[in-house]
Amino acid sequence: MGVREFRFFHGITIQSEGIQNIVRTLRAQWRPELVDDLNTVYSIDAEAELTRLMSEQIVEEIDNEVINILTGRINGGNAA
């Protein structure tokens, strides 16, 4: 995985590095009774709500990873 460099006009340079594959898993489990209770008592779609929460968690994880990478590069390669 080498660094590729793209040079544009006015001294603008973009560097591109290879992307590593990182496999992570995120799971949610629930009981059918819980889904029925949430729907009956609170009119909450448990599956949609869990999907929304999991999506938010994934976005937060990606954001934190990007922040850590950028912070490390700003600090000269030292982890923050």
Side-chain angles (χ1 to χ4, degrees):
M1 289 190 310
V3 175
R4 294 183 355 186
E5 193 166 285
F6 303 94
R7 295 185 186 273
F8 295 95
F9 58 95
H10 300 294
I12 297 173
T13 303
I14 298 176
Q15 292 183 343
S16 173
E17 293 186 37
I19 298 173
Q20 296 177 350
N21 258 347
I22 299 174
V23 177
R24 297 185 177 106
T25 58
L26 182 62
R27 295 184 183 146
Q29 296 178 349
W30 60 89
R31 296 184 325 269
E33 299 85 17
L34 174 64
V35 172
D36 292 340
D37 290 348
L38 286 172
N39 192 15
T40 301
V41 176
Y42 300 106
S43 299
I44 294 175
D45 182 351
E47 291 181 15
E49 195 64 23
L50 283 170
T51 301
R52 184 187 65 76
L53 291 170
M54 290 175 69
S55 295
E56 287 178 4
Q57 185 65 37
I58 291 167
V59 168
E60 183 178 335
E61 180 72 22
I62 292 169
D63 288 348
N64 286 335
E65 189 170 330
V66 168
I67 289 169
N68 287 335
I69 290 169
L70 293 175
T71 303
R73 289 186 180 175
I74 289 169
N75 291 327
N78 299 325

